[in-house]
């Protein structure tokens, strides 16, 4: 790799480098894997061949790294113990969404890979994160990496990770918002919230969280997959989506919330536990907490 990835401590740096090296191969491997795998993931969502293939590839590479004690993904029911030489209390646990937004593969739109690196056995709260990253499969394959030292963005290609922005921070003047779910399924408090957002910001919603999160990180604003009438716990998973994204946005100077407090404070009791998710500029995350407190 041409550039140290945030200079994180081991095994965090090895994990991030391995994800970076795998991203180009994953992108190439999407071709011909757009059909359904005829299985469902533990959250009841249809798996594509690409989901299963990317998960197997990342498991094969990450589970063999020194210091990786556990591997879990959105595509697997259970946590997998890795490496005979690492006790789960001494090593790290990797939790990932191999292909976030893979339903966008059908329409050839953006997707991502999300990775959280925990220093506790899974399921674990976001406060146990040592680092997190996401790969964005856009016109360019990029990677955003957050550690305690801050947030950096890299362009990936040919096995190289080239830093394009060190010390990524949310812009002070927010521009965009995106909120998941169907309008009739939004509780009144969420409708009121979105009314405020749409009066002040421009709509950006692409159906794959990483594409939308990268818009918020680039332009400032708010992304939410909120509480819904049909699913009060929301849609996104704490372990694989809420925690890593909350960690990255908070390290970039923003906030995260489940509607009541930081996503990183949520204590998951189930590996595939869902959470409402609100992330972005502090003012807009504070706003949803105020609205829900008064609801
Ligand atoms: P909807 C993709 O399936 C995902 O988990 C996130 O990446 C994305 O933000 C959300 O679900 C999209 O959900 O209901 O708009 O299809």
């Amino acid at each position: 790799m041409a550039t140290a990835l945030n200079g994180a401590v081991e095994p965090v740096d090895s994990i991030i480098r391995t994800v970076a090296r795998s991203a180009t191969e994953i992108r190439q491997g999407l071709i011909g894997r757009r059909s359904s795998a005829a299985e469902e993931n533990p959250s009841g969502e249809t798996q594509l061949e690409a989901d299963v293939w990317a998960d197997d590839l990342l498991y094969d590479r990450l589970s063999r790294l020194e210091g990786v004690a556990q591997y879990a993904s959105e595509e697997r029911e259970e946590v997998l113990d890795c490496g005979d030489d690492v006790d789960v209390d001494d090593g790290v646990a990797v939790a990932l969404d191999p292909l976030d937004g893979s339903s966008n593969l059908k329409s050839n739109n953006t997707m991502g890979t999300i990775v959280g690196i925990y220093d506790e056995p899974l399921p674990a709260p976001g406060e146990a994160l040592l680092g997190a990253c996401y790969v964005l499969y856009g016109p360019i394959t990029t990677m955003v990496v957050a550690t305690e030292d801050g947030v950096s963005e890299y362009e990936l290609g040919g096995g190289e990770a080239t830093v394009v922005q060190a010390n990524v921070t949310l812009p002070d003047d927010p521009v965009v918002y995106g909120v998941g779910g169907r309008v009739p399924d939004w509780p009144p408090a969420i409708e009121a919230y979105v009314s405020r957002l749409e009066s002040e910001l421009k709509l950006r919603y692409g159906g794959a969280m990483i594409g939308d999160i990268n818009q918020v990180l680039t332009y400032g604003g708010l992304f939410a997959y909120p509480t819904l009438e049909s699913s009060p716990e929301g849609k996104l998973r704490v372990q694989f989506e809420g925690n890593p994204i909350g960690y990255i946005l908070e390290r970039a100077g923003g906030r995260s919330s489940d509607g009541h407090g930081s996503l990183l404070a949520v204590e998951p009791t189930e590996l595939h536990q869902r959470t409402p998710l609100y992330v972005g500029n502090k003012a807009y995350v504070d706003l949803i907490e105020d609205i829900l407190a008064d609801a």
Side-chain angles (χ1 to χ4, degrees):
M1 285 295 189
T3 311
L5 292 174
N6 278 36
V9 297
E10 291 301 355
V12 173
D13 194 53
S14 297
I15 294 165
I16 294 170
R17 287 172 182 276
T18 301
V19 173
R21 283 195 188 96
S22 303
T24 308
E25 189 175 348
I26 288 173
R27 185 184 188 108
Q28 189 60 34
L30 298 176
I31 297 170
R33 293 188 169 93
R34 301 167 77 174
S35 55
S36 164
E39 299 288 330
E40 287 188 345
N41 70 12
S43 298
E45 297 160 340
T46 302
Q47 284 182 318
L48 300 183
E49 284 180 36
D51 289 312
V52 176
W53 174 77
D55 183 42
D56 287 345
L57 182 149
L58 288 166
Y59 170 69
D60 177 60
R61 297 201 177 143
L62 294 172
S63 61
R64 67 182 65 214
L65 292 178
E66 189 178 342
V68 174
Q70 287 189 328
Y71 176 99
S73 89
E74 211 173 86
E75 307 306 329
R76 296 174 190 260
E77 191 67 48
E78 305 295 338
V79 178
L80 300 176
D81 287 330
C82 315
D84 301 332
D85 61 340
V86 183
D87 181 82
V88 70
D89 293 319
D90 300 328
V92 300
V94 179
L96 56 89
D97 183 357
L99 274 186
D100 167 68
S102 56
S103 55
N104 269 2
L105 198 48
K106 184 173 181 179
S107 56
N108 192 28
N109 288 106
T110 58
M111 292 183 300
T113 294
I114 312 172
V115 181
I117 305 164
Y118 296 83
D119 69 357
E120 283 182 21
L122 301 175
E127 288 160 348
L129 281 167
L130 295 172
C133 65
Y134 64 76
V135 175
L136 174 57
Y137 304 101
I140 297 169
T141 306
T142 56
M143 184 180 211
V144 169
V145 177
T147 62
E148 60 183 10
D149 297 332
V151 183
S152 300
E153 182 186 19
Y154 301 82
E155 285 182 355
L156 305 182
E160 298 295 314
T162 306
V163 64
V164 291
Q165 188 177 353
N167 191 28
V168 175
T169 52
L170 266 176
D172 291 333
D173 299 323
V175 175
V176 299
Y177 81 98
V179 179
R182 297 173 187 274
V183 176
D185 206 7
W186 288 341
I190 302 303
E191 280 193 287
Y193 182 51
V194 176
S195 293
R196 275 289 300 278
L197 296 174
E198 63 190 6
S199 68
E200 299 174 19
L201 304 171
K202 282 196 296 188
L203 175 60
R204 285 284 188 280
Y205 189 82
M209 178 169 62
I210 291 308
D212 298 327
I213 289 294
N214 212 57
Q215 293 256 20
V216 170
L217 199 55
T218 305
Y219 300 113
L222 189 286
F223 174 81
Y225 209 103
T227 292
L228 302 176
E229 299 285 13
S230 62
S231 54
E233 72 284 359
K235 174 180 183 182
L236 303 178
R237 277 65 38 156
V238 177
Q239 202 74 79
F240 309 107
E241 296 161 310
N243 281 341
I245 296 308
Y247 181 89
I248 291 168
L249 268 291
E250 292 189 12
R251 289 289 174 294
R255 274 208 63 202
S256 80
S257 182
D258 64 351
H260 306 290
S262 171
L263 284 167
L264 306 185
V266 173
E267 293 278 353
T269 54
E270 301 290 332
L271 184 63
H272 297 278
Q273 182 172 322
R274 298 177 192 268
T275 179
L277 177 146
Y278 310 87
V279 293
N281 286 75
K282 180 179 185 301
Y284 289 110
V285 178
D286 291 352
L287 175 63
I288 185 56
E289 292 181 347
D290 295 343
I291 289 174
L292 290 174
D294 295 341

